[in-house]
Amino acid sequence: ASQMAAILETLYNQQTKYLETDYEKLFGLLRTRVTQRSLIILFTNFESLTGLQRHLPYLRSIARNHLVLVVFFENTELRQLTTAPINDIESLYIKTIAEKFSYEKRLIVKELQQHGIFTILTAPENLTVNTVNKYLELKARQAI
């Protein structure tokens, strides 16, 4: 309980600089500091396949030595746009673009899974439940 409180407090006090994640640096740090096979959970968001392709070599390198679980956040506003009724041509365009973004997110998940990287695509409100369930699934498979 005290470790969880310390983790939550540390995360709460983090300030972002809105820089792009440096997966090359992450790979180097994991290679030198985490010598035993471990479960690495990355909470991240790739918005396009091109963004994923830039970082995929490093994620694959990490996955050679560790069990990698990438957690993506589903854009709930996009989901609302894809289910909204079409009233005019503008709403048709908006719905089509929203569906394209949702489809691309699913393609990103498939691409990672093809390389042996586990993924979760979840709405923010389901994050805890889905992450714990995936952990239990990996334990049941004896992957960890």
Side-chain angles (χ1 to χ4, degrees), residues 5-24:
I7 290 171
L8 290 174
E9 186 66 29
T10 302
L11 289 173
Y12 179 77
N13 291 323
Q14 291 298 306
Q15 298 294 321
T16 185
K17 295 176 184 157
Y18 298 101
L19 301 173
E20 188 169 344
T21 306
D22 188 351
Y23 287 97
E24 181 179 10

Side-chain angles (χ1 to χ4, degrees), residues 102-126:
S102 294
Y103 176 72
E104 191 160 6
K105 192 70 84 164
R106 289 190 305 273
L107 285 178
I108 290 169
V109 168
K110 260 188 185 172
E111 180 77 19
L112 285 169
Q113 289 173 340
Q114 287 176 347
H115 293 288
I117 298 170
F118 295 96
T119 59
I120 299 173
L121 179 60
T122 183
E125 61 268 14
N126 300 328

Side-chain angles (χ1 to χ4, degrees), residues 50-66:
T50 4
L52 171 67
Q53 294 301 331
R54 278 195 320 266
H55 303 298
L56 190 57
Y58 301 113
L59 292 173
R60 290 179 66 195
S61 296
I62 294 169
R64 280 190 213 111
N65 299 319
H66 302 284

Side-chain angles (χ1 to χ4, degrees), residues 19-114:
L19 301 173
E20 188 169 344
T21 306
D22 188 351
Y23 287 97
E24 181 179 10
K25 188 173 183 178
L26 174 64
F27 169 66
L29 286 171
L30 287 172
R31 190 179 62 221
T32 57
R33 294 191 181 167
V34 183
T35 56
Q36 294 182 7
R37 182 170 169 79
S38 302
L39 172 63
I40 307 295
I41 302 177
L42 294 175
F43 295 89
T44 190
N45 213 12
F46 294 110
E47 292 300 331
S48 67
L49 275 170
T50 4
L52 171 67
Q53 294 301 331
R54 278 195 320 266
H55 303 298
L56 190 57
Y58 301 113
L59 292 173
R60 290 179 66 195
S61 296
I62 294 169
R64 280 190 213 111
N65 299 319
H66 302 284
L67 187 64
V68 178
L69 172 61
V70 177
V71 180
F72 293 99
F73 296 101
E74 190 179 310
N75 189 331
T76 52
E77 290 183 24
L78 276 180
R79 189 175 356 136
Q80 291 171 353
L81 289 173
T82 59
T83 58
I86 299 172
N87 301 325
D88 54 11
I89 194 76
E90 182 182 358
S91 60
L92 175 65
Y93 287 141
I94 291 171
K95 183 173 183 165
T96 303
I97 292 168
E99 286 175 351
K100 179 207 172 278
F101 281 120
S102 294
Y103 176 72
E104 191 160 6
K105 192 70 84 164
R106 289 190 305 273
L107 285 178
I108 290 169
V109 168
K110 260 188 185 172
E111 180 77 19
L112 285 169
Q113 289 173 340
Q114 287 176 347

